[in-house]
Amino acid sequence: MSKTKLNVAVVGATGAVGEQIIGLLEKRDFPIDKLKLLSSARSAGTRVTFKGQEITVEEAGPDSFEGIDIALFSAGGDVSKELAPHAVRHGAVAIDNTNAFRMDPNTPLVVPEVNADQIDEHQGIIANPNCSTIQMVAALKPLYDRYGISRIIVSTYQAVSGAGSRAIDELHRQTGEVLNGNAANPDILPVGSLPVKHQIAFNAIPQIDKFQDNGYTLEEMKMVRETKKILNDESVLVTATCVRIPVVYGHSESVYVELKEDYNLEEVRSLLENAPGVTVVDDPANQVYPLATDAAGKNDVFVGRLRRDLTNERGLNLWIVSDNLLKGAAWNAVQIAEVIAANKSK
Ligand SMILES: NC(=O)c1ccc[n+]([C@@H]2O[C@H](COP(=O)([O-])OP(=O)(O)OC[C@H]3O[C@@H](n4cnc5c(N)ncnc54)[C@H](OP(=O)(O)O)[C@@H]3O)[C@@H](O)[C@H]2O)c1
C-alpha cells in the first residue's frame, strides 16, 4: 500500500532540536507532502534546504497550522502551551519536545521502545520525555519487564547542546577565551533566565534548570516523575543528580538500579543486546565502553560498564550514553510521527 503523504510543521525549526528533526525527516524519507518551518520573528525569512528545495522559515502563530497533519514542537514550553492547542484545533497531532504537557494526565508521554501503545491514546498532543529520561528508560525497560525495578539512583553528565544552540556557542567561545588566558564571561549556563551564570569550559555544573522547593532541580524532578509515568509504575523509587559538563553532544549517565528479583549478569547482557534501539558496548578488558563522542550523531542508546553491585546482590551498575538531540529529542519525536503516519496509511 502506498504511504499517505502528510503536511508537517516543525516549530523551532532553527533550533538545535529542530535542525535535527528536519535532518531526520529527510534521512528517513518521511512521507511529506508539504513541510512548514516555523520559528520566532528573529529567524523568520531564513532559508533551509530540505530534499534539495529551499523552504523559507515563517514566524509561528495561532493560524500557522491550517492543513497540517503533524506538528513537531521544540521551541520552549511557553510556545508549546500557547500554540500546540491551536495546532490541535486545526486537526493536527502535536508532538511536543518541551516540558509543557508531559505530566498532564490526558497527554501520553511516549518512548516508542517502552510504551508505543500509548500513542493511540492521544487527545491531540503527545509528549516527548526529557532527554535524560528517554535514554535511561529505553535501556532499563527490558530489565524492568524481566526482573522488576525497585530503585534507580542516577547521576548524569549532560552535554551543553541540551540547553540549546546558544549554549553550544558559549562552550566554544569560553574554551577559546580560557585557553587564551582570558575571563570566561559566562552568559547562558546554567539557566538562561536566572541572574547567576557559571563557567562551563573546563568545569562541571551541578545545576540543570531551576531549583525546586525540595532542593532538587527541575531536570532531576523530571527524571523522577517522567520515569514513573512512562513505566506506568509509581512504586519505582528514583533519585537523580543532574550535572552539565563541557561536552557538546551526548548525555552520559551512571545508573544504579536495584532489581526486584535475583539476576544473572549474562542474562542482563543478553536482554540488553536484544532490546530495540539499544546497543551494548561493554568490553572493559579492551577499554571498550560507551562514549559521548561515539554516540553523537547516532540514534541508539549505548550501554556498558555492566557490573553487579558489591554490596547488594540485586544491585546493578550501568553506564548509559545517547545523543540528546537525537534519541533524547528529535529521533524519539520522529519515531512517534512515523507511527502516526503508518496508522494514517492503514
Ligand atoms: N536540546 C535538547 O537536547 C533538548 C532535548 C529535549 C527537549 N528539548 C526542548 O526543546 C526545546 C528547544 O530546544 P533547543 O535545544 O532546540 O533550543 P534552541 O536551540 O534554543 O532553539 C529554540 C528554537 O525555538 C524557536 N523559538 C524561540 N522562541 C519562539 C517563539 N516565541 N515562537 C516560535 N519559535 C520560537 C527558536 O527560533 P529563533 O531562531 O527565531 O529564535 C529556535 O528555532 C526546549 O523546550 C527544550 O527544553 C531540548
Side-chain angles (χ1 to χ4, degrees):
M1 182 188 270
S2 70
K3 288 182 183 172
T4 308
K5 290 202 167 182
L6 303 176
N7 295 329
V8 175
V10 179
V11 187
T14 51
V17 175
E19 281 178 7
Q20 296 295 330
I21 290 175
I22 297 164
L24 280 168
L25 292 173
E26 175 156 352
K27 205 160 147 189
R28 301 281 304 173
D29 201 16
F30 193 88
I32 288 186
D33 187 17
K34 191 175 139 212
L35 180 63
K36 195 164 193 179
L37 302 181
L38 301 164
S39 72
S40 78
R42 278 182 299 274
S43 297
T46 307
R47 286 165 179 272
V48 173
T49 304
F50 179 76
K51 292 193 171 178
Q53 291 197 329
E54 279 205 339
I55 301 176
T56 304
V57 177
E58 299 169 42
E59 183 178 355
D63 296 324
S64 300
F65 303 96
E66 211 177 315
I68 295 295
D69 300 297
I70 297 177
L72 295 138
F73 281 81
S74 62
D78 290 344
V79 175
S80 292
K81 273 186 203 149
E82 189 200 332
L83 295 184
H86 287 290
V88 175
R89 174 172 63 83
H90 281 100
V93 178
I95 303 173
D96 184 30
N97 265 295
T98 79
N99 192 33
F101 300 100
R102 287 179 189 151
M103 295 313 295
D104 169 11
N106 296 320
T107 303
L109 183 63
V110 175
V111 178
E113 291 82 354
V114 180
N115 61 347
D117 55 310
Q118 290 294 304
I119 293 174
D120 291 340
E121 305 295 314
H122 77 82
Q123 295 173 25
I125 301 174
I126 298 168
N128 226 34
N130 170 262
C131 41
S132 315
T133 311
I134 292 179
Q135 66 183 67
M136 185 174 81
V137 295
L140 294 186
K141 171 68 169 164
L143 309 184
Y144 178 85
D145 287 344
R146 170 67 180 84
Y147 308 106
I149 289 177
S150 47
R151 175 184 293 275
I152 300 167
I153 301 173
V154 53
S155 298
T156 70
Y157 306 70
Q158 296 184 221
V160 293
S161 57
S165 51
R166 290 179 66 215
I168 302 175
D169 296 343
E170 166 141 295
L171 174 61
H172 287 149
R173 180 189 59 74
Q174 278 187 14
T175 305
E177 296 290 0
V178 175
L179 286 174
N180 284 314
N182 300 325
N185 289 327
D187 186 36
I188 309 279
L189 294 169
V191 182
S193 60
L194 293 181
V196 176
K197 310 292 184 206
H198 296 301
Q199 175 179 329
I200 183 63
F202 308 100
N203 211 355
I205 304 176
Q207 179 184 4
I208 299 183
D209 218 319
K210 295 178 182 167
F211 280 100
Q212 310 295 286
D213 291 342
N214 63 8
Y216 287 81
T217 61
L218 183 57
E219 183 84 352
E220 290 161 352
M221 291 314 299
K222 284 177 193 169
M223 291 197 79
V224 172
R225 297 189 193 112
E226 293 178 21
T227 299
K228 291 166 185 268
K229 178 166 175 178
I230 298 160
L231 293 174
N232 191 25
D233 186 348
E234 283 297 316
S235 78
V236 179
L237 305 175
V238 186
T239 188
T241 302
C242 294
V243 181
R244 187 78 69 195
I245 59 164
V247 158
V248 179
Y249 302 111
H251 290 349
S252 303
E253 299 177 342
S254 164
V255 177
Y256 168 81
V257 57
E258 230 167 74
L259 302 173
K260 282 191 174 164
E261 290 177 20
D262 292 342
Y263 72 89
N264 172 302
L265 198 55
E266 281 319 302
E267 188 184 48
V268 163
R269 188 183 307 279
S270 156
L271 287 167
L272 291 169
E273 279 169 351
N274 290 307
V278 174
T279 299
V280 175
V281 182
D282 191 36
D283 181 8
N286 290 303
Q287 294 175 261
V288 173
Y289 30 71
L291 292 171
T293 44
D294 293 334
K298 302 194 179 103
N299 288 344
D300 263 13
V301 174
F302 299 88
V303 185
R305 299 291 323 275
L306 304 176
R307 62 213 190 277
R308 191 183 296 276
D309 177 32
L310 299 176
T311 60
N312 181 345
E313 273 287 290
R314 291 182 179 172
L316 170 72
N317 284 300
L318 315 95
W319 180 247
I320 302 172
V321 180
S322 195
D323 187 324
N324 51 296
L325 294 181
L326 290 174
K327 185 56 188 165
W331 171 231
N332 200 72
V334 170
Q335 280 181 299
I336 295 169
E338 286 186 347
V339 173
I340 293 168
N343 287 344
K344 284 189 188 278
S345 292
K346 274 181 189 165

